[in-house]
Amino acid sequence: MTPPPIPIAKPWMDEREVEAARRPISGGWVTQGPEVAAFEAEFAQAVGAPHACAVSNCTTALHLALLAAGVRPGDEVITVSHSFVATASSIRYCGALPVFVDIERATFNMDPRAIVPAVSPRTRAILAVHQMGMPCDILGILDVAARHSLPVIEDAACAVGSEILRNGAWERIGKPHGDIACFSFHPRKLLTTGDGGMLTTANSAYDARFRAQRQHGMSVPDTVRHSSDRVIFEEYPEIGYNYRMTDIQAAVGREQLKKLPEIVARRRYLAGRYRRILAGIEGLELPAEPAWARTNWQSFCVRLPEACRQAAVMQTLLDQGIATRRGIMNAHRERAYPAGTWRPGGPLAESEAAQDRCLILPLYQDMSDADQDRVAAALRSALAAIQSQ
Ligand SMILES: *Cc1c(COP(=O)(O)O)cnc(C)c1O
């Protein structure tokens, strides 16, 4: 008998989310209404941000963030290729050119030292990613950015609940530390609304722009028109988008947000346990957490020994019902990114090696100790078999 399959990830949803979705559905206000406003206020509070604006997903959040930072056609934005393709694509939505810099081997995040050689007269912003929930060296990046007067946008798609140590205190990602931070509520992230996104900022002018642009560039939000006792005609001073979050999504998001401390604690427990049961596998490198970071472990990514074929290891595990993923993709290797649509800001050797040599292991809320032991045993024997060939 084959044991039940172990998925790579699984959202944690139950009757609480079902009940929450009932509110807007039976109340009748289903988009851009009171649930969205409440979710924004609660999210802002949770990460310590002055403003939070809900949108349809993190890709649209990144697009609005880059526009607010002034990114225009012909500009360059320094970012990493080693990220989900949405990071680079949001730059191209603005007609701008992504300039890819390499990552640090230990954290899979942008190397602040790689930024300076990539700066050109066309550089308009830096888009830094907190990859797989692990905080990037945002303070180091901000240092470099300040010297070049560049705004910094944080792709925090995976990083809700992650923290960095600043001036002796732990601060949540999204405070924000850069100018704007963007979050995702896709089911592969810690909190999900099916699809969904959030922008946080300390800049009230940016926040006002996000609110107009997510709603076709309309001058008056629905909440204001709805509650006014005078007739109001809206205006459209500039082209906007339909990047709205619905109230059904927001109601679900509010329940998910209440679970965040429990989710982070559970993932940190499971990651710590992986660390113990995977210790001692020859040549296997476990992910590192800098002393100044507390990751939410959105993904637990290990580096395979040199001799291993990544696909062979993955297939061996899949044959035992265990889903894994290869290391994070590199946008510059995809056909959507031919020469001329991006510029190398330096070597990308660590980015490519991280994609080719790494493996993301299953991790989810109700993963049992036995599930984890099965993954560890399968990986251990797969590596032993391949190395002895
Ligand atoms: C998931 C993800 C995105 C895209 O988020 P969506 O909400 O699916 O648009 C962007 N950047 C990174 C790093 C991601 O992991």
Side-chain angles (χ1 to χ4, degrees):
M1 201 186 80
T2 46
I6 296 180
I8 185 76
K10 196 159 52 164
W12 184 31
M13 300 179 109
D14 49 47
E15 284 305 311
R16 287 172 278 187
E17 284 78 8
V18 174
E19 279 310 312
R22 206 181 284 282
R23 285 194 308 264
I25 292 170
S26 47
W29 196 341
V30 290
T31 195
Q32 213 75 110
E35 296 287 348
V36 168
F39 185 34
E40 289 172 340
E42 289 159 10
F43 191 90
Q45 168 90 39
V47 300
H51 305 281
C53 177
V55 288
S56 49
N57 56 66
C58 184
T59 311
T60 56
L62 290 168
H63 185 200
L64 295 187
L66 291 166
L67 290 175
V71 176
R72 297 291 175 264
D75 289 343
E76 291 183 350
V77 177
I78 296 174
T79 192
V80 286
S81 174
H82 175 268
S83 185
F84 183 56
V85 71
T87 307
S89 297
S90 67
I91 296 169
R92 293 189 56 203
Y93 293 169
C94 300
L97 202 73
V99 175
F100 295 133
V101 298
D102 215 357
I103 56 165
E104 294 179 307
R105 179 186 165 96
T107 62
F108 304 104
N109 276 319
M110 179 183 276
D111 182 348
R113 293 163 304 183
I115 298 172
V116 175
V119 172
S120 86
R122 288 169 179 257
T123 309
R124 179 53 56 98
I126 296 170
L127 176 50
V129 183
H130 301 292
Q131 195 55 258
M132 297 183 275
M134 182 66 71
C136 67
D137 181 3
I138 187 70
L139 301 181
I141 292 167
L142 285 170
D143 242 21
V144 180
R147 275 185 267 132
H148 294 269
S149 304
L150 293 169
V152 175
I153 293 158
E154 298 169 69
D155 180 342
C158 301
V160 69
S162 297
E163 297 175 311
I164 58 165
L165 192 60
R166 188 169 68 161
N167 302 328
W170 288 99
E171 296 182 347
R172 284 246 165 112
I173 296 298
K175 197 170 168 62
H177 298 96
D179 295 80
I180 304 163
C182 303
F183 293 88
S184 172
F185 306 121
H186 181 270
R188 269 298 290 280
K189 324 296 182 181
L190 267 71
L191 308 181
T192 187
T193 59
D195 261 309
M198 191 74 79
L199 293 127
T200 62
T201 184
N203 182 321
S204 54
Y206 283 172
D207 185 62
R209 280 209 78 199
F210 303 152
R211 285 167 197 286
Q213 289 207 299
R214 72 176 170 182
Q215 167 95 320
H216 305 287
M218 200 187 287
S219 61
V220 191
D222 285 356
T223 37
V224 171
R225 263 200 308 186
H226 194 78
S227 60
S228 175
D229 53 7
R230 313 249 325 257
V231 171
I232 298 178
F233 292 136
E234 80 281 14
E235 289 171 30
Y236 300 86
E238 61 178 348
I239 292 273
Y241 305 89
N242 178 355
Y243 285 174
R244 288 184 294 242
M245 174 181 277
T246 70
D247 273 46
I248 304 168
Q249 291 169 305
V252 170
R254 293 176 69 192
E255 286 311 307
Q256 288 270 291
L257 189 57
K258 290 183 200 161
K259 295 177 173 176
L260 181 61
E262 209 180 322
I263 294 174
V264 173
R266 179 73 188 156
R267 298 187 79 85
R268 290 188 63 82
Y269 164 79
L270 289 170
R273 195 168 180 282
Y274 257 146
R275 203 174 277 294
R276 289 194 301 278
I277 63 180
L278 294 172
I281 299 184
E282 200 183 314
L284 187 76
E285 269 179 58
L286 301 181
E289 183 178 53
W292 47 264
R294 266 194 212 145
T295 175
N296 63 12
W297 292 115
Q298 184 268 340
S299 288
F300 192 85
C301 185
V302 300
R303 191 178 296 257
L304 297 174
E306 284 297 331
C308 285
R309 270 187 47 237
Q310 184 188 47
V313 177
M314 292 176 70
Q315 188 63 52
T316 303
L317 268 66
L318 191 59
D319 291 343
Q320 298 168 61
I322 299 168
T324 57
R325 295 287 180 271
R326 66 176 178 175
I328 300 291
M329 63 172 292
N330 279 234
H332 76 275
R333 288 167 141 185
E334 295 297 324
R335 271 192 303 157
Y337 285 81
T341 61
W342 60 282
R343 181 169 77 75
L348 297 170
E350 289 297 346
S351 300
E352 295 187 353
Q355 176 179 359
D356 297 341
R357 303 238 46 88
C358 291
L359 197 62
I360 296 174
L361 301 182
L363 191 63
Y364 44 89
Q365 188 70 21
D366 58 4
M367 186 173 205
S368 65
D369 288 2
D371 293 336
Q372 264 197 318
D373 292 341
R374 236 178 89 198
V375 174
L379 184 58
R380 193 180 290 272
S381 65
L383 296 186
I386 285 167
Q387 279 175 317
S388 68
Q389 273 169 18

